[in-house]
């Protein structure tokens, strides 16, 4: 029902900033919530931030609080502003669509292909 495409990944130095974007093919009310996840080689996929368009309520992983900001300016666009980047932020970042505000992978039904973010020291 929903196709997601991420963009904005790249390589930056520690302390730098980067903004990721995700475009959805269509908005489905049942999947009002969207989230950003990341996965580094050999590690499990983890939730980074999530937001629901209707309420604009947000949630963040402790590791990125104060540094990352998730936003959804319209029903088809999801953004993640990443500031003060650290080496441990290096991973493939994925956007996802689901029906509830959660950072759990199981809470989402649709996923993008991912975009690589590399932070060097």
């Amino acid at each position: 029902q929903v196709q997601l495409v991420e963009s904005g990944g790249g390589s930056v130095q520690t302390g730098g900033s980067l903004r990721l974007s995700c475009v959805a093919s269509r908005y489905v009310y049942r999947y009002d919530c969207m989230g950003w996840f990341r996965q580094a080689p050999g590690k499990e996929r983890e939730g980074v931030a999530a937001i629901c368009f209707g309420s604009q309520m947000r949630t963040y992983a402790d590791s990125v609080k104060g540094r990352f900001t998730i936003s959804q300016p319209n029903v088809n666009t999801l953004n993640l502003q990443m500031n003060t980047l650290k080496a441990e932020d290096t991973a493939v970042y994925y956007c996802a669509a689901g029906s509830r505000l959660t950072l759990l992978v199981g809470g989402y039904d649709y996923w993008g292909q991912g975009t690589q973010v590399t932070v060097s020291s």
Side-chain angles (χ1 to χ4, degrees), residues 27-69:
Y27 173 70
V28 179
Y29 184 77
R30 181 179 178 180
Y31 300 103
D32 184 59
C33 303
M34 299 184 74
W36 285 101
F37 292 76
R38 65 187 183 187
Q39 187 168 25
K43 296 184 178 180
E44 296 183 343
R45 187 170 299 187
E46 63 175 348
V48 175
I51 186 171
C52 294
F53 186 76
S55 66
Q56 289 294 298
M57 294 188 69
R58 315 170 189 205
T59 186
Y60 296 89
D62 289 340
S63 60
V64 306
K65 286 182 179 178
R67 299 190 298 120
F68 291 11
T69 302

Side-chain angles (χ1 to χ4, degrees), residues 79-100:
N79 297 320
L80 183 68
Q81 179 65 47
M82 304 185 292
N83 297 326
T84 318
L85 285 162
K86 304 175 181 179
E88 50 263 46
D89 294 319
T90 296
V92 174
Y93 283 70
Y94 301 86
C95 67
S99 59
R100 63 182 69 88

